[in-house]
Amino acid sequence: MKTLVSKISLGLSLLVAVFFAACSDNYPKIAGEICPGEIWPDTNGEHINAHGGGLMYYDGTYYWFGENKGERSSAALVGVMCYSSKNLKDWKNEGVALAVSEDPESEITKGCVLERPKVIYNEKTKKFVMWFHLELKGKGYSAARSGVAVSDSPTGPYTYLRSSRVNPGILPCDMTEADKAVMDTLNPQNYEKWWTDSWTDAVKKGLILKRDLEGGQMARDMQLFVDDDGKAYHIYASEENLTLNIAELSEDYQSHSGKYVRVAPTGHNEAPAIFKRNGKYWMITSGCTGWDPNEARMFSADNIFGPWTQHPNPCVGPNKDLTFGGQSTYVLKVQGLDDAYIFMADIWRPKHPIDARYIWLPIQFKEDGTPVVEWMDSWTLDYWKNKK
Ligand code: GAL
């Protein structure tokens, strides 16, 4: 009798749990649905902790890398997390791919700022290469460095190699002798006040580029992109976040080749997410308002080194002028599906960083090929099947 009663009460509590789970905003309504902005439980039932992230597809599995955020702090207290999935919906926590160091002398010591990690696979060296934005502990956002780490396995552990600013002593590959002569005349003392017309003009002509030439260019929010020919690029917010740089990586992806261009000088773009479709490069970025959302921007080019043309904000739907409350982080080309790309963004929660949310939305394309990101409360990968 006692067992019957306990069985009934167990059954009842299970029913109640399922009922509340189904009704709660915090649960995907149907298994398999991607619900932008809601809690996204991993296969252990815990909200995925991989912010400012990026995806990599390797050997039939997707790997999601991102920042491990704490309850109260956005600083790196753990390191870069890795999750794996075969279906893009159910994610298994693979643990810490790159751990911060307990050594206070390390550049990636616990408490540094380690943001927007991305991983790419190098076919030639068979190594997985991770790049990230690094700020040295206790120095705010002044270091503006890029860090790099490598591993023989997608999930890690990754071995930290080094960090630095980018391409010291090297000018953009599209800068002419005439452009260089103009830059050489710029005297910083004449441009101490920011945002005046003459300051803006001077920054476009290379005021900050020249300032940072010797030590290398600043690199904050960043992205990696591997092109069809196997060449890889590092795209980052440079020059005090005023200008984007697109820099080619070396053959082993572990350093820079020295070839780079500046994109949208003084445009104040960050959070670059880039993809290629039908031979055209598209890049979605944000403005620079810290953890607060702002209106997404979009650019296109026929050549990765430009020229890049700006287009209107691609977002459609409620809160479109604030990127639905998020900030771009990655665009994924879905394997095995025709013309399927997913726009990914973070809804930051600076007061409770671990509770930051993810926005994943399918990208739609207008007849002329222009991308559109339309808000959906929930969707599944069948979106593309049903479109056919
Ligand atoms: C954002 C940036 C984030 C983080 C944050 C810090 O603008 O996209 O990655 O650096 O600022 O305030």
Side-chain angles (χ1 to χ4, degrees):
M1 182 66 186
K2 211 173 160 205
T3 31
L4 185 65
V5 169
S6 58
K7 270 187 188 156
I8 290 172
S9 73
L10 178 70
L12 271 178
S13 27
L14 274 174
L15 262 180
V16 169
V18 168
F19 174 78
F20 277 107
C23 294
S24 156
D25 263 1
N26 288 345
Y27 271 82
K29 278 145 205 108
I30 302 168
E33 282 197 332
I34 291 173
C35 303
E38 295 191 13
I39 288 283
W40 193 335
D42 65 12
T43 51
N44 290 328
E46 294 196 23
H47 183 44
I48 293 170
N49 196 342
H51 308 275
L55 270 76
M56 178 190 62
Y57 179 77
Y58 175 75
D59 202 14
T61 301
Y62 292 92
Y63 296 89
W64 176 350
F65 298 89
E67 305 158 29
N68 177 297
K69 297 262 187 211
E71 289 286 343
R72 301 268 161 265
S73 167
S74 282
L77 302 175
V78 173
V80 177
M81 299 299 293
C82 177
Y83 291 78
S84 68
S85 172
K86 291 208 187 280
N87 64 10
L88 289 170
K89 296 172 276 191
D90 308 307
W91 291 93
K92 174 174 176 240
N93 186 345
E94 298 281 357
V96 183
L98 173 69
V100 292
S101 172
E102 294 296 333
D103 175 2
E105 299 300 319
S106 165
E107 290 174 351
I108 57 163
T109 192
K110 194 172 174 177
C112 67
V113 170
L114 199 166
E115 292 180 338
R116 297 189 179 266
K118 305 286 179 292
V119 175
I120 50 179
Y121 176 63
N122 189 295
E123 294 277 357
K124 288 185 192 141
T125 62
K126 310 281 177 225
K127 298 237 182 246
F128 298 87
V129 185
M130 177 190 291
W131 285 85
F132 51 89
H133 165 206
L134 178 68
E135 297 293 347
L136 303 175
K137 186 176 178 183
K139 302 232 158 96
Y141 275 76
S142 62
R145 291 191 188 194
S146 295
V148 58
V150 289
S151 174
D152 292 325
S153 138
T155 54
Y158 283 74
T159 306
Y160 175 67
L161 296 183
R162 62 178 182 280
S163 76
S164 65
R165 288 201 173 175
V166 182
N167 284 326
I170 302 174
L171 287 171
C173 61
D174 56 349
M175 203 167 181
T176 63
E177 283 303 316
D179 295 337
K180 187 174 173 304
V182 171
M183 184 186 77
D184 286 343
T185 65
L186 299 171
N187 179 351
Q189 281 170 352
N190 299 335
Y191 306 103
E192 275 168 9
K193 195 158 180 269
W194 282 40
W195 301 117
T196 63
D197 288 349
S198 66
W199 174 90
T200 304
D201 185 53
V203 172
K204 283 186 183 153
K205 289 175 176 159
L207 183 71
I208 300 173
L209 174 74
K210 180 180 166 187
R211 182 196 74 184
D212 291 344
L213 191 57
E214 205 185 316
Q217 299 303 319
M218 300 173 99
R220 293 204 182 107
D221 280 10
M222 58 147 280
Q223 189 59 252
L224 296 180
F225 175 72
V226 181
D227 212 335
D228 306 329
D229 59 4
K231 285 195 174 154
Y233 299 88
H234 180 202
I235 301 113
Y236 50 91
S238 194
E239 299 177 23
E240 308 285 357
N241 290 349
L242 291 161
T243 301
L244 288 169
N245 283 2
I246 299 184
E248 189 186 76
L249 292 177
S250 58
E251 274 201 25
D252 65 4
Y253 301 169
Q254 295 177 27
S255 60
H256 294 87
S257 75
K259 192 172 175 191
Y260 76 102
V261 290
R262 301 165 74 217
V263 177
T266 72
H268 232 183
N269 287 281
E270 60 178 14
I274 188 169
F275 66 102
K276 190 180 187 183
R277 177 180 183 256
N278 299 340
K280 213 179 190 55
Y281 300 86
W282 292 95
M283 179 162 59
I284 299 176
T285 68
S286 74
C288 301
T289 50
W291 302 118
D292 294 332
N294 55 56
E295 184 171 15
R297 294 103 178 265
M298 184 164 70
F299 299 82
S300 71
D302 294 325
N303 183 310
I304 190 135
F305 284 136
W308 287 85
T309 309
Q310 189 159 359
H311 301 264
N313 168 16
C315 299
V316 172
N319 218 4
K320 70 176 176 56
D321 294 337
L322 289 178
T323 319
F324 320 117
Q327 187 183 26
S328 41
T329 188
Y330 195 75
V331 170
L332 175 75
K333 164 103 184 71
V334 184
Q335 300 294 317
L337 283 175
D338 200 20
D339 218 18
Y341 299 81
I342 304 177
F343 170 74
M344 301 178 180
D346 297 283
I347 302 180
W348 302 114
R349 296 262 165 102
K351 292 204 178 108
H352 191 194
I354 195 172
D355 191 36
R357 306 297 173 86
Y358 309 101
I359 296 175
W360 285 26
L361 290 166
I363 301 185
Q364 305 174 48
F365 296 96
K366 292 187 192 164
E367 236 161 66
D368 67 359
T370 309
V372 173
V373 181
E374 188 181 3
W375 177 262
M376 296 176 191
D377 289 336
S378 69
W379 60 284
T380 72
L381 292 186
D382 288 342
Y383 171 80
W384 285 285
K385 275 197 216 144
N386 298 338
K387 267 191 96 181
K388 279 189 179 167

